[in-house]
Amino acid sequence: MDLGESKQMGLLSSLKGADSLLLLISPTVPPNDEQLRSLDSSMDQRGVDVIPAILGQGPVPEPLRGRAGVTMTHGEASIEELTQRIENGRALDLLDLRPVDFEKLVEDLLRFEGFDVIVSSGAGDRGYDFVARMPGTDNTPPIEYIVEAKAYRHSRVSVASVHEIAQKVAREGGDRVRMIVTNSQLTSVAKSALADLASLPESPEIRVLDGVEVKYLLLKYPDLVRKYGRSHYERGR
């Protein structure tokens, strides 16, 4: 895969209104990682679900490692898996979840990712929702995160929201890492503001998972897609 600038612009223009982008990756044609990274970022900004379909036994290209893809080596079974993957992506609408459901989703997702989640009845009163602890290994110590799930009704997280989060964390102090998980998407300016804040001396450590990252993590776990996907949520209303 090697797209010139004009072809990339044409592709982006043709994808207006698309829900998903299927990328066929062949081990015989090495992809251009820089172009893949640029395309992937552009799709994230448009809310398009990127699905790598690996032809044969080749690896997933590095820029797409976080994407839930499909290995196309089993004929009809691969087509069925691909169809299900597309449906899973369309089923997830994080902005449609109620705040209490989004908070529960974050708890479940972190458990699936290997965290020990500690839910305290008084956590909300202290400005966060729960504590998540990533167990250590022989070479790394455990890391404890104070987690706050923030459900927005709009699709983008503004710079003002980022500064509000940072000021709140600074006021509360403490030496534990703060993890903010949101159903919305950080604007490029908000991401830059977050990076600038992190570079300041004695700045509190904040890790932010926005809606794009949350969705791709969820797609790794079909059980969570079934639990929090649109059809299940609509039945529970």
Side-chain angles (χ1 to χ4, degrees), residues 15 25 31-32 35 47 56 58 71 93 126 129 135 187 192 196 206:
L15 286 169
I25 309 295
N32 183 308
Q35 290 180 355
T71 301
D93 186 353
R126 295 193 291 271
D129 296 309
T187 65
S192 296
D196 291 341
I206 306 174

Side-chain angles (χ1 to χ4, degrees), residues 117-137:
V117 175
I118 305 165
V119 180
S120 169
S121 59
D125 298 332
R126 295 193 291 271
Y128 60 91
D129 296 309
F130 53 87
V131 173
R133 185 175 185 270
M134 175 56 73
T137 66

Side-chain angles (χ1 to χ4, degrees), residues 175-196:
D175 56 1
R176 288 185 293 187
V177 180
R178 173 76 64 151
M179 181 187 293
I180 309 295
V181 187
T182 173
N183 60 339
S184 298
Q185 183 178 353
L186 287 171
T187 65
S188 57
V189 179
K191 288 181 178 179
S192 296
L194 190 64
D196 291 341

Side-chain angles (χ1 to χ4, degrees), residues 17-32:
D19 293 320
S20 307
L21 172 63
L22 178 65
L23 291 179
L24 300 177
I25 309 295
S26 171
T28 61
V29 183
N32 183 308

Side-chain angles (χ1 to χ4, degrees), residues 83-122:
T83 301
Q84 186 61 58
R85 168 63 182 80
I86 293 172
E87 289 301 315
N88 286 348
R90 296 177 62 185
L92 290 173
D93 186 353
L94 301 181
L95 293 175
D96 202 35
L97 290 173
R98 295 172 299 180
V100 65
D101 294 319
F102 182 68
E103 181 181 331
K104 192 64 181 174
L105 177 154
V106 173
E107 288 180 29
D108 286 344
L109 178 59
L110 291 180
R111 286 192 177 99
F112 273 66
E113 284 287 290
F115 287 83
D116 296 324
V117 175
I118 305 165
V119 180
S120 169
S121 59

